[in-house]
Amino acid sequence: MASLATFRALRNCRFSLISPSAIPYSRSIFRLISTLVLGEHEGGFLKPSTLSAVSAASSFGKDNSISILLGGSGSDLKKAALHAASTHPVISQVLVADADILMHPLAEPWADLVHLLQKKGAYSYIISASSSFGKNVLPRAAAILDVSPITDVIEISEPYLFVRPIYAGNALCTVRYTGLDPCMVTIRSTSFPPSSIPTVVESSAAPISQVDLSAFNKETGGKSRWLKLTSQETDRPDLGNARIIVTGGRGLKSAENFKLLDKLAEKLGAAVGATRAAVDANFVPNDLQVGQTGKIVAPELYMAFGVSGAIQHLAGMRDSKVIVAVNKDPDAPIFQVADYGLVADLFEVIPELIEKLPEKK
């Protein structure tokens, strides 16, 4: 039984209620951190951009439970699930949503699926690569969940502190997320390379679970519908993940002249890219566009021929390890970011390179 002195001591104490929002990162105090990664797969394997998203998700904390969501149907989905389960030791679970409507990256059904899973799983974070898929799905899902997404993140400084480029990459902005869960993020895959991912032994593979879609409207079509996928059949590396990229600009003057780059790329084992000006001029299809409104790349070697160096193009390739520029205009802005520059006629330089480079083995 408490003594009279104890009651008097309590009577003289002052108590105050502290709002959970006043405690930094209070969300991680009251429950474990969990992350849902929106996965992309092709041919039975996770895309490298999804592996980058997993690497980024591991930055949220050591006790972070990471789940990967894969959607679609057929044998490729099953193979991709097996690949995801054994690709990284930080992956806690692989969620498989088997439905034909999820085979294509339409925002409406995917956003509804994310909403469904968030109601069930109450994730702290939902993350995807800043690819066409991620840019399409995640903002719509964020709107349904009534949260503000943080896009194109290049660095995770703290659990809710992010760095993202602004003004076409000419400045970096630090953003602290103070909203409700989930914190929804798209990451620039070139900033979170998956090359350091260790191999997982089969015995420690993550469990694979089927998502209960009984409450999911599989007929959801919204205002968009899938028509077809048009892409070039090529044996060259994917532009977004290539070690070497050869890019042409408006200086190539025609689609016929772009075939010179194709020959050079074959010699180097490189991917071919293009500027927005070259795409707008119908020299090449738009899936080869590099830049702020195209693909963001960071190869080991980036060779630019006839590229002036517009701001929106530089935003998509400035993180390349080595940049080589060939342009007959000595004042071209591309030379300001190039490690090696050559003021010369590209129609003389490219044939000479093709002639002197050895055949790729």
Side-chain angles (χ1 to χ4, degrees):
M1 193 170 181
S3 65
L4 181 62
T6 302
F7 283 114
R8 286 175 178 172
L10 290 172
R11 184 182 63 184
N12 293 329
C13 290
R14 292 183 179 180
F15 297 92
S16 60
L17 295 175
I18 301 176
S19 170
S21 62
I23 305 175
Y25 317 120
S26 60
R27 285 165 282 208
S28 62
I29 294 175
F30 295 108
R31 64 180 178 81
L32 294 176
I33 300 173
S34 58
T35 301
L36 179 66
V37 177
L38 305 187
E40 298 177 72
H41 61 94
E42 186 176 27
F45 294 93
L46 293 184
K47 289 188 176 181
S49 58
T50 295
L51 299 179
S52 294
V54 172
S55 294
S58 64
S59 304
F60 292 140
K62 293 182 180 179
D63 297 327
N64 183 15
S65 174
I66 299 176
S67 300
I68 290 187
L69 171 63
L70 299 177
S73 64
S75 59
D76 280 356
L77 176 62
K78 295 178 181 178
K79 292 178 183 177
L82 292 172
H83 178 230
S86 59
T87 196
H88 202 300
V90 302
I91 296 174
S92 305
Q93 186 182 29
V94 179
L95 301 175
V96 177
D98 194 338
D100 290 342
I101 197 171
L102 298 172
M103 291 183 66
H104 308 301
L106 294 176
E108 289 90 345
W110 271 95
D112 289 344
L113 176 62
V114 172
H115 181 224
L116 175 67
L117 288 173
Q118 177 60 24
K119 287 195 299 184
K120 292 181 178 180
Y123 295 99
S124 310
Y125 300 89
I126 298 178
I127 186 171
S128 75
S130 190
S131 58
S132 298
F133 172 78
K135 292 176 183 177
N136 191 30
V137 173
L138 193 129
R140 183 180 180 89
I144 294 174
L145 293 168
D146 197 23
V147 298
S148 297
I150 301 173
T151 59
D152 215 21
V153 168
I154 62 171
E155 181 183 334
I156 301 173
S157 304
E158 295 176 8
Y160 290 95
L161 193 66
F162 308 94
V163 178
R164 61 184 300 272
I166 56 175
Y167 300 119
N170 288 302
L172 298 178
C173 176
T174 300
V175 181
R176 183 181 294 279
Y177 183 76
T178 59
L180 299 174
D181 286 347
C183 174
M184 303 187 73
V185 180
T186 63
I187 57 98
R188 185 175 289 187
S189 57
T190 55
S191 299
F192 299 91
S195 56
S196 59
I197 293 178
T199 303
V200 178
V201 295
E202 187 175 350
S203 59
S204 61
I208 300 174
S209 303
Q210 293 289 329
V211 177
D212 181 7
L213 298 177
S214 58
F216 177 66
N217 184 4
K218 298 181 182 180
E219 303 303 322
T220 299
K223 295 183 179 180
S224 62
R225 61 190 178 92
W226 180 263
L227 295 179
K228 63 179 180 178
L229 172 65
T230 303
S231 62
Q232 287 185 317
E233 293 293 333
T234 177
D235 294 330
R236 295 202 192 98
D238 176 66
L239 180 59
N241 305 296
R243 292 177 56 252
I244 303 173
I245 295 177
V246 178
T247 294
R250 188 160 39 191
L252 280 162
K253 299 180 180 179
S254 70
E256 187 67 25
N257 290 333
F258 248 87
K259 293 179 181 179
L260 285 172
L261 286 188
D262 291 335
K263 294 178 181 179
L264 180 59
E266 288 177 7
K267 285 265 186 151
L268 294 170
V272 175
T275 64
R276 179 173 179 175
V279 170
D280 289 345
N282 294 320
F283 295 168
V284 289
N286 59 9
D287 59 341
L288 298 186
Q289 182 178 328
V290 174
Q292 187 178 21
T293 53
K295 293 186 178 179
I296 308 296
V297 299
E300 294 179 16
L301 174 61
Y302 188 87
M303 304 181 72
F305 295 90
V307 175
S308 62
I311 291 177
Q312 76 89 23
H313 182 76
L314 297 181
M317 44 69 70
R318 64 167 67 245
D319 292 332
S320 303
K321 307 301 182 292
V322 177
I323 300 173
V324 177
V326 178
N327 199 305
K328 62 181 180 182
D329 179 8
D331 298 321
I334 189 71
F335 288 125
Q336 296 178 14
V337 299
D339 298 288
Y340 301 94
L342 177 62
V343 180
D345 186 345
L346 64 88
F347 294 108
E348 296 177 359
V349 173
I350 295 177
E352 188 172 351
L353 281 172
I354 294 172
E355 181 184 349
K356 293 186 176 181
L357 283 171
E359 293 290 340
K360 181 179 177 295
K361 295 182 180 180

